[in-house]
Amino acid sequence: MAISPETFPTRKRRPENMASFMSPKINDLNVLCSLLQLTDQICSLNLTTTLLNRVSSSTIRKTQLLGVVFEELVRVSNLNSNSSVLFLCLEEMYIVLHNIKILIEDFSNGSKFNLLMQIETVADNFHRLTGELSTLLDVLPLQELDLNDDVRELALLVRKQGSEAKAFIGAEQISLRNDVVFVLDRIKNEIVPDQAHLASIFEKLEIRDASSCRAEIESLEEEIHNRSEEQPKTDLVALIGLVRFAKCVLYGASTPSQKTVTMRRNQSLELTIPADYRCPISLELMRDPVVVATGQTYDRASIKLWMDSGHNTCPKTGQTLSHTELIPNRVLRNMIAAWCREQRIPFKVETVTGKHNSGVTNKAALEATRMMVSFLVNKLKGNGHGKEDNDNVNVPLSVEDANGVVYELRVLAKTDSGSRACIAEAGAIPLLVRFLNAEENPSLQVNAVTTILNLSILEANKTKIMETDGALNGVAEVLISGATWEAKANAAATVFSLSGVAAHRRRLGRKTRVVSGLVGLAKTGPEGARRDALAAVLNLAADRETVARLVEGGVVGMAAEVMAAMPEEGVTILEAVVKRGGLVAVAAAYAGIKRLGAVLREGSERARESAAATLVTMCRKGGSEVVAELAAVPGVERVIWELMAVGSVRGRRKAATLLRIMRRWAAGIDGGENEGFTTTTTTMVASSTTMVVPTTTSSLAQ
């Protein structure tokens, strides 16, 4: 067999409190009370699997009998406090019983498949611990204790049972484990498992529906998370692939519970992420913050995608990176993790299968994924019940069944690059595009656009999506008239993902409905959706040709409007547009100068830095009219002086340039200049640098 049961090591749970493994430093009565409480806890444990029912039930019965002994010791209350042997035994019993409790909790609450694959090791641990209890009872000075005869006999009975017990595993469990290994080997050899055989395995493990399959997958993922870097993980990845495949083939595609949908909607619409916890590129919560050469912090996935796309500059400052090393920002990561715990948000650096894909390969898991994808895609095509049979008559799925299949693809596409590649290679993208216009079924539309979004994370899939007929138009329609805010937000996130490629960025920018959809969503959507739209706009603004279309689409006005609620995002977009948009962009941004002045005075360090950079660009390109408008902002010179003193390095530099421009304007010299411009230059304002600006009579908000 290619996979040996010995490759499945015992699960090692990371203790929440190391002190729980230490013997209690307590007096004679308290140690007995602690033992009584511990035995009660063990006896009340709920065994959720029958795999080790015999050995675990036997251990619990022994613990229950020990509880009677401890109760009697508490009742007599005449322990000889000078007996060091007695209290040493009691303290050691506490440790052994605590380890028994942890062992039962681990296998009872953990993965059934993982327990099956290392059942011999777990049984040996039970045998070892009961043997230790027997040894301690042998040392315990029972003759010195004033115990009832029946209780003393109970203690002797437990001691005898523990010393004579043998590690026991039933032949049925061994056979079941061999069946699992056999199925994994067949999948590895690209042979589709027999459904009846697969159903028999899952029935014996008491995994009987899609919900229990999801719980098993989560348990396996937790097992991987709990393993150290030195421990192999490929075995568990293979098991996850097997359970996913069986979930779809045996129990059918499923949709998320209403509770999950409501929780996701509430998080996307109501949760406000602190600005310092959001990546400047994606505007999403950072999961793995890293510092680049310029000192700026980004989420690892976002900055790596930026660098892999051929950029060698810092996205925020525009400075050339002296090196591409990414330094983990562990302090910020710990702060984000703590905040996520407070908000009850799951926090993972990356998904389990993502780690597998980046470093560990597993043939069985990959083939199981391919089989599952083939099954789901064929169901979407209406090919029978998902079987690859060309003789089957195409039977269209009901909307409910289609929604279940698309949801399964959505979940799978979120896991790892291998799954995304399999889904795209199976021809799922054109099928998903058909459901983008499903306004009558909001859930189906959300699942379809989110699946496309997840697929677009893989670089190779971006081109496939862009080349699929109707894909861009479908995403644009969802962006404009999606049935839910979640659908619109994920459509915007799809545009952001696709625009990571320069050629795609230009093509997306040429689509008027994409631009208008992003602008509209940024203006009227809930905060989460607005951030997705702003991130996409910022990506599109990286291309000079696209910026002109963004300006035509009203992005400048939108950025100025957004500035009141989200100053960092609004100013960053305005900076990018003005930098690459020429005089037309400057003219469009003219009315927002006072808003920029307000951000310069009251914004965060990052927002003030971007505001200063934007104003410098506008003053250079726009000439004296722009400088005059800026100079009219009350207290602006004092604010610039303050930024020069306490701002970031880039902020101080831009503030100094801005102050120099304003002073030259006040002296009647051209307000537009290049950084490093010497004071000996006396070029006056030329008509060619003068811009026609709108006349403003209203007082803008500060």
Side-chain angles (χ1 to χ4, degrees), residues 9-10 12 226-233:
T10 305
K12 297 186 182 296
N226 287 337
R227 285 192 180 183
S228 65
E229 292 299 324
E230 293 75 23
Q231 292 178 299
K233 299 180 175 68

Side-chain angles (χ1 to χ4, degrees), residues 551-607:
V551 173
E552 292 175 5
V555 166
V556 173
M558 175 273 292
E561 185 176 326
V562 166
M563 220 180 291
M566 292 181 284
E568 287 188 18
E569 291 81 357
V571 174
T572 302
I573 289 175
L574 198 58
E575 178 187 357
V577 171
V578 168
K579 181 179 179 180
R580 301 180 180 90
L583 292 179
V584 175
V586 175
Y590 181 82
I593 290 178
K594 290 185 178 180
R595 292 179 185 267
L596 286 169
V599 173
L600 202 61
R601 180 174 60 251
E602 302 170 354
S604 65
E605 180 179 291
R606 186 178 301 170

